[in-house]
Amino acid sequence: MRVSRNIVITGASLIALLIVLGLWSLMPSRTIELAPPPAVTHDGDLLRIRAGGPLDGRLTVEPVAETLSPHQVELPAQLITAPGQSVDIHAPVVGRVAGLYVQTGQHVQKGDLLATLYSGDLAQAWSDDRKAQATLALTRQAYRRAVGVLNAGGNAVKDMQSARNDLAQAEAEAVRAHLRLQALGTTGGEGYQPLMAPFSGTVTAVSIGVGQNVTDMTATLMNVADTGSVWVQASLPESLIPEMGTTMTLDAPFPGQTCNGPVTSQDASLHTDTRRLNLYLRCSNLQGLLYPGQFTTATLNITQQAQPILPKTALLMDNDLVSVFVETAPNTYRRRFITISYEEGESVRILSGLKAGERVITHGAILLNDY
């Protein structure tokens, strides 16, 4: 009885085992997946990219190029009248405007009459000149008479000497009175002071009218400017002064005309209010298409020695530090910090840290930045 019971238990156990095995065989098979090798491994300061990994083929590596092109800087610029070619007209005497013969925008030739002033000061100058000439004629006659009397023995030497002194003073006064008229620029017409054009040009401003009393000789009555040649004034920031070279050109576009050529001149000192240095370019304006006061953006071209150049996509920025990944072997890279000088469109020049011909990652370097 006991033996049959053991047989039943054993048989039941076998049946249960067979059922479990059958069910297990019906379940889908499973495989144990192992973790893939890392895409990037560190070897000191080197980064190695696994061949066939997720980064393989996503990095573009190119050699560092070299450029001889000039450095280009955009500067604010404006047109100004050429130095010495814009003159403010002032009255040399006080008086009343008797005639005005020009208007703003009118072209005049050198020596043209701009306006006339009726002036008591000028009348006084003419009177002084006539009196000086009359006194000179009288003292000259007195001196000749004194010399003749002395030669005849009827006069003392001191009388002749006194007459000669009077003549010298009269001559000096006559010269002074005449030079006074010349300084006033008068050509005739007592009491009428002419205002003449100092050179050929355009009247750019008129601030008087007929009948107006001119009481301040320092006041500007009008302005005459020669705009046949104008200057482009470009303002260079103080930070770029160290980049200046001995050979620089300016390109300044304006409607209808572009001014370009070597820098004509530059300021000798920095403007303390703007912290800028003005550069100048002489520009012909014979067609009259340019007007002083026009603004533009000028391009300063600074000649440079050969320098390495990189596209901006190769740069990795970390606060004030700039780095790139340099290829040391296939799929092996090292981070290197570099110094850049300035932007050249979509590229930058390299001051230090790289040489022309070295291979760097130009696209996709950001994928390695966190490793």
Side-chain angles (χ1 to χ4, degrees):
M1 193 69 183
R2 186 177 181 86
V3 174
S4 61
R5 184 178 179 183
N6 291 336
I7 293 173
V8 172
I9 293 174
T10 301
S13 300
L14 291 174
I15 294 173
L17 179 61
L18 292 173
I19 293 174
V20 171
L21 292 175
L23 294 175
W24 179 263
S25 64
L26 296 176
M27 295 179 64
S29 59
R30 295 184 178 181
T31 58
I32 300 177
E33 296 182 359
L34 299 177
V40 180
T41 57
H42 287 265
D43 184 3
D45 61 348
L46 297 177
L47 297 180
R48 299 185 185 277
I49 307 300
R50 178 169 59 87
L55 296 182
D56 190 16
R58 299 185 63 184
L59 305 178
T60 302
V61 181
E62 296 176 305
V64 177
E66 194 174 53
T67 181
L68 284 170
S69 61
H71 170 41
Q72 294 184 328
V73 181
E74 291 188 347
L75 304 176
Q78 66 171 328
L79 284 177
I80 62 173
T81 305
Q85 298 301 310
S86 177
V87 175
D88 290 332
I89 307 298
H90 299 268
V93 293
V94 297
R96 179 170 53 84
V97 179
L100 179 62
Y101 311 109
V102 295
Q103 59 185 357
T104 301
Q106 181 176 336
H107 187 76
V108 295
Q109 299 295 326
K110 180 178 179 180
D112 284 355
L113 183 62
L114 305 177
T116 55
L117 300 178
Y118 186 75
S119 171
D121 290 347
L122 181 60
Q124 181 65 48
W126 274 103
S127 176
D128 292 344
D129 181 66
R130 289 196 305 273
K131 288 190 293 184
Q133 294 298 327
T135 302
L136 176 60
L138 180 62
T139 54
R140 184 176 287 122
Q141 292 175 1
Y143 173 70
R144 290 173 180 172
R145 184 168 54 250
V147 172
V149 173
L150 178 63
N151 292 335
N155 199 1
V157 174
K158 68 176 183 179
D159 294 334
M160 187 274 295
Q161 293 175 340
S162 177
R164 184 168 57 190
N165 178 66
D166 292 341
L167 176 60
Q169 293 188 32
E171 288 176 341
E173 178 61 19
V175 171
R176 183 203 65 79
H178 186 68
L179 290 179
R180 167 66 172 162
L181 285 177
Q182 286 186 338
L184 294 177
T186 183
T187 57
E190 297 183 17
Y192 287 91
Q193 173 63 51
L195 301 180
M196 316 296 289
F199 48 72
S200 300
T202 303
V203 178
T204 63
V206 176
S207 57
I208 57 172
V210 176
Q212 177 179 340
N213 287 318
V214 178
T215 58
D216 184 3
M217 291 188 294
T218 64
T220 300
L221 306 185
M222 60 186 70
N223 177 271
V224 177
D226 181 5
T227 58
S229 176
V230 294
W231 281 31
V232 178
Q233 174 184 284
S235 299
L236 181 73
E238 181 180 12
S239 59
L240 293 180
I241 291 180
E243 307 293 343
M244 292 175 57
T246 56
T247 304
M248 299 181 294
T249 61
L250 272 173
D251 296 321
F254 293 95
Q257 184 173 342
T258 297
C259 299
N260 52 62
V263 172
T264 304
S265 179
Q266 65 185 57
D267 286 342
S269 60
L270 197 69
H271 291 259
T272 56
D273 53 344
T274 61
R275 309 307 302 172
R276 287 177 176 264
L277 186 72
N278 287 335
L279 307 177
Y280 301 98
L281 170 66
R282 183 185 293 108
C283 185
S284 176
N285 188 32
L286 297 179
Q287 295 181 350
L289 300 176
L290 304 177
Y291 298 89
Q294 283 183 280
F295 287 90
T296 189
T297 298
T299 300
L300 176 66
N301 303 291
I302 305 174
T303 302
Q304 301 288 320
Q305 296 179 347
Q307 287 181 309
I309 191 169
L310 270 181
K312 294 180 182 178
T313 54
L315 305 179
L316 297 172
M317 314 300 292
D318 184 10
N319 295 325
D320 293 335
L321 300 177
V322 181
S323 64
V324 295
F325 281 107
V326 181
E327 183 183 59
T328 60
N331 288 338
T332 304
Y333 308 95
R334 176 183 286 116
R335 183 189 294 269
R336 186 183 298 175
F337 292 95
I338 62 175
T339 303
I340 62 177
S341 71
Y342 28 69
E343 297 183 356
E344 297 288 344
E346 296 300 320
S347 302
V348 293
R349 294 176 186 256
I350 308 301
L351 287 181
S352 63
L354 279 178
K355 296 180 179 180
E358 292 188 285
R359 293 175 58 83
V360 300
I361 299 178
T362 57
H363 293 83
I366 190 67
L367 300 174
L368 299 180
N369 197 40
D370 295 333
Y371 286 97

